[in-house]
Amino acid sequence: MASVTVRGWALGTVSLLNFAFVFISGSDFIRFISFRAIYHNITGETTLCQDSIPWSVALQDSSVLRCLIVDLGLLALFTTQHSLLAWSPVKQALQSVLGPLNRTAYCFTTALALQILVRYWQPVTGAPCLWSVRHAPWSIWFPLLCFTLHFICWAIICSILMIFDYPELLGLKQVYYECLGLGDPLSHKSPHAQRFLSHLRHPVCLELGVVLWLLPALSLDRLLLAGILSTYLALAHSLDKQDLAYLCVQINRKMQLLAQPHRGIASATDRDNSNHKEK
């Protein structure tokens, strides 16, 4: 019994530490991919590009090519980790070794790959921008519009992750269920939910697409980042009409649950008013 308790505490500690690391990495990634890029343009001026340099000269510059190669390697590291550990043979092998910590290990390595990408990313400052909003009044209003839309997109992404069982997504529930002897949390979900999650683990493609592409200035390294991640998102899922129907049903149920307390308050108020009138 004591050994089981110690094992449970150890699994829980590892899982919570991983949760903290994933949270920090996610915050750094949001700052890197979204708000830091907008902050450089919030005054309408940008130091990310050299529009006076022709493309033919910029693409032959060794410093530009070196930055692009480093950035391409960082993106290859992230996509390889994200795909390799999700491949069924690798996933089954890790499951046999790590057990309930399999999902925790996947999230940890994903967060680690994102940290490496964020910290070693090389901006390309020696090439022109593909576009840059610099003329008043849009030099002020467009960055503010981008900031607002990015904030809304990240809020939607966080809401979707909460709806789709955030503890299970990060591996917390796997450890909790293991300590209680309940098995894999996915086995307790409906067949429709299991089918949906097997096709796409986090359905936030549209919002990430807006965040990747909607910027006041699009530099060459940002084009590489947005292009590769958008392509990866498009190729990584296999959703169909049945998954879409299931998603719509789940959203409608969540909205009904959120509306129930208000309905309860409204019905209670109506009953009180009717009782008052009868008196």
Side-chain angles (χ1 to χ4, degrees):
M1 184 67 182
S3 61
V4 174
T5 304
V6 172
R7 181 173 181 270
W9 277 104
L11 291 175
T13 301
V14 172
S15 181
L16 290 175
L17 289 175
N18 174 73
F19 173 79
F21 181 62
V22 170
F23 180 81
I24 294 172
S25 299
S27 301
D28 291 340
F29 182 69
I30 292 173
R31 185 165 56 249
F32 163 76
I33 201 174
S34 188
F35 299 122
R36 188 172 72 178
I38 296 175
Y39 175 77
H40 284 298
N41 300 275
I42 200 68
T43 61
E45 298 294 333
T46 177
T47 59
L48 300 177
C49 311
Q50 297 291 336
D51 292 336
S52 59
I53 301 177
W55 279 105
S56 58
V57 175
L59 294 178
Q60 295 178 358
D61 189 346
S62 59
S63 62
V64 172
L65 296 178
R66 184 171 57 252
C67 291
L68 291 177
I69 291 174
V70 172
D71 295 341
L72 187 61
L74 294 172
L75 288 169
L77 172 66
F78 171 75
T79 54
T80 301
Q81 175 276 328
H82 220 56
S83 301
L84 183 62
L85 269 67
W87 190 34
S88 295
V90 176
K91 185 188 295 186
Q92 293 173 3
L94 291 176
Q95 182 68 34
S96 63
V97 175
L98 299 176
L101 291 178
N102 183 26
R103 185 67 191 177
T104 299
Y106 181 84
C107 294
F108 175 80
T109 53
T110 299
L112 183 61
L114 286 178
Q115 283 286 350
I116 295 173
L117 186 146
V118 169
R119 295 184 182 278
Y120 293 100
W121 186 263
Q122 301 295 315
V124 177
T125 58
C129 279
L130 276 80
W131 69 70
S132 179
V133 179
R134 297 186 180 183
H135 300 290
W138 291 107
S139 60
I140 299 296
W141 289 110
F142 191 68
L144 293 176
L145 175 64
C146 291
F147 178 87
T148 303
L149 291 178
H150 279 224
F151 182 85
I152 293 173
C153 286
W154 286 117
I156 294 174
I157 289 173
C158 293
S159 301
I160 292 176
L161 293 178
M162 293 297 178
I163 290 175
F164 283 91
D165 203 351
Y166 191 70
E168 190 275 332
L169 184 66
L170 289 181
L172 294 173
K173 185 176 284 187
Q174 283 84 341
V175 173
Y176 178 71
Y177 274 43
E178 175 68 17
C179 295
L180 295 180
L182 298 177
D184 187 4
L186 285 178
S187 63
H188 296 271
K189 295 183 180 296
S190 66
H192 294 290
Q194 295 182 27
R195 183 180 187 276
F196 177 83
L197 293 176
S198 66
H199 289 171
L200 184 65
R201 220 48 176 104
H202 35 75
V204 290
C205 295
L206 178 61
E207 294 81 6
L208 278 178
V210 173
V211 168
L212 287 170
W213 290 99
L214 185 63
L215 288 173
L218 189 73
S219 59
L220 190 58
D221 63 289
R222 182 60 181 225
L223 174 66
L224 181 67
L225 177 71
I228 290 181
L229 290 185
S230 298
T231 304
Y232 182 77
L233 284 171
L235 297 177
H237 75 83
S238 56
L239 297 178
D240 52 22
K241 293 182 178 180
Q242 187 174 346
D243 294 322
L244 179 60
Y246 170 77
L247 180 61
C248 292
V249 170
Q250 293 302 310
I251 292 176
N252 290 332
R253 288 180 179 176
K254 296 293 183 180
M255 297 302 295
Q256 291 175 3
L257 289 175
L258 292 175
Q260 279 181 357
H262 301 285
R263 291 176 180 175
I265 294 174
S267 60
T269 304
D270 293 339
R271 287 196 300 269
D272 292 339
N273 291 336
S274 62
N275 292 335
H276 180 73
K277 289 180 181 179
E278 291 176 358
K279 291 180 180 178

